[in-house]
Amino acid sequence: MITLENEAQPRSIQTQESIFIEEKAFRSRMVLVFGNITDAIASETVRRLLTLDAESNAPITMIISSPGGHLESGDVIHDVSRFVSSPVNMVGTGWVGSAATHLYLGAPRERRFCLPQTRFLIHQPSGGTGGAASDIALQAAEIIKARERIARVIARESGQPLERVLEDIEHDLWMSASEAVEYGLVSRIITRREELLHIDDL
């Protein structure tokens, strides 16, 4: 039977390594957002942002790789990224989709970056419907409101006309890194961390 090396390590060693990595990232003022956006992810991310902000007004770098998830959880991270005093640099990698794109837009355009292989996805929100007809009607109305709100955020942060955004999000719109720059989601593509160090001097 073949066993991965880290699976053979005692749980305590894995925990110590995990804590060490987390502390290292924290000291570097980096926040990692990976996987589906959930209430738990939003809570942990906000806690880190607030703690780092209380420690210093130096820039915070958030690295995002997520297919999306719960819209309101994305709202939380989006809003708190703007709420803190420290400037927040967003760095997309892997894929940044749906609710993850929404939270990514929490930074001003000049602080939105991505790595070369990143893909972005924008689309309208969706939700399950069920129950009484009146409940289904209410849910549909809320989805329409969310669609309008998301479109306005994308339009505001990308510089695209609202009418175009509303049309674009009717269906899944995938963008490569260069296409996301052209659309206005991303300021520029970077390949090295050092490219973030002097952003305030640009």
Side-chain angles (χ1 to χ4, degrees):
M1 176 174 162
I2 299 175
T3 304
L4 295 177
E5 183 177 348
N6 65 345
E7 290 181 347
Q9 294 176 340
R11 183 176 298 275
S12 60
I13 295 177
Q14 291 183 10
T15 302
Q16 290 171 8
E17 289 179 351
S18 177
I19 292 172
F20 173 78
I21 292 170
E22 290 290 332
E23 289 179 350
K24 194 77 171 177
F26 187 83
R27 287 197 298 270
S28 299
R29 298 185 67 77
M30 300 189 78
V31 177
L32 309 181
V33 179
F34 280 62
N36 289 326
I37 307 302
T38 63
D39 288 345
I41 290 291
S43 175
E44 181 64 25
T45 301
V46 166
R47 194 159 36 239
R48 290 173 185 274
L49 285 172
L50 293 176
T51 303
L52 288 169
D53 187 52
E55 184 179 76
S56 166
N57 285 335
I60 299 167
T61 297
M62 188 180 302
I63 299 180
I64 304 166
S65 179
S66 167
H70 193 244
L71 175 58
E72 283 74 13
S73 297
D75 281 335
V76 172
I77 302 173
H78 176 107
D79 288 346
V80 174
S81 297
R82 293 170 175 263
F83 173 78
V84 295
S85 299
S86 303
V88 178
N89 298 322
M90 297 289 188
V91 179
T93 184
W95 62 339
V96 180
S98 191
T101 303
H102 182 56
L103 73 86
Y104 176 84
L105 294 176
R109 192 185 308 183
E110 66 271 16
R111 291 189 177 275
R112 298 198 300 261
F113 309 92
C114 74
L115 302 185
Q117 308 304 319
T118 313
R119 293 197 305 156
F120 290 82
L121 168 66
I122 59 173
H123 61 186
Q124 60 182 322
S126 61
T129 57
S134 57
D135 291 335
I136 294 174
L138 287 172
Q139 292 175 41
E142 288 303 312
I143 290 173
I144 291 172
K145 288 180 185 177
R147 175 179 178 270
E148 293 284 336
R149 180 167 63 84
I150 292 301
R152 290 186 184 281
V153 171
I154 295 172
R156 182 191 71 212
E157 295 302 324
S158 68
Q160 296 292 341
L162 177 60
E163 294 75 15
R164 176 182 176 180
V165 174
L166 285 168
E167 183 178 340
D168 287 342
I169 66 174
E170 277 296 316
H171 305 283
D172 288 356
L173 176 60
W174 287 97
M175 288 177 254
S176 66
S178 59
E179 289 169 339
V181 171
E182 183 178 350
Y183 198 88
L185 298 181
V186 178
S187 170
R188 59 192 173 97
I189 301 167
I190 60 175
T191 58
R192 297 180 63 82
R193 184 181 175 190
E194 287 78 5
E195 295 178 64
L196 296 174
L197 297 181
H198 303 294
I199 177 179
D200 294 313
D201 299 329
L202 297 178

